[in-house]
Amino acid sequence: MSKRISVDIEGLKEEIEQAYSKDKFWCQLSLAQKIRILIQDGLEKAKSHQSKSN
C-alpha cells in the first residue's frame, strides 16, 4: 500500500523546478514526481556519505 504525506514546499517550488532543468524530461514530470526523485537522490547521497564515514 502506498504511503502519502503532505509536505509544505513554500519557497521551494522554484528550486524544485530548477533542480534538473537541463534535463529535457524534467519539465514533463509532475511536481510530485520531481519531489520523489529529489528525495531518492538525497537518500542515495546520504547512504553513500554514511558508508564512507564507516
Side-chain angles (χ1 to χ4, degrees):
M1 187 167 125
S2 130
K3 301 279 184 179
R4 299 193 180 270
I5 61 169
S6 296
V7 178
D8 178 8
I9 61 165
E10 184 176 343
L12 296 176
K13 189 171 186 312
E14 188 173 318
E15 289 184 58
I16 292 167
E17 295 296 340
Q18 295 298 317
Y20 292 101
S21 60
K22 292 181 182 177
D23 182 332
K24 64 181 179 178
F25 297 110
W26 187 251
C27 64
Q28 297 175 6
L29 298 174
S30 69
L31 182 58
Q33 290 170 316
K34 291 173 184 176
I35 291 170
R36 181 176 175 90
I37 289 168
L38 292 170
I39 290 170
Q40 287 175 318
D41 285 353
L43 289 170
E44 287 176 18
K45 288 177 184 175
K47 285 179 191 176
S48 174
H49 177 70
Q50 194 170 36
S51 67
K52 288 179 182 177
S53 58
N54 286 339

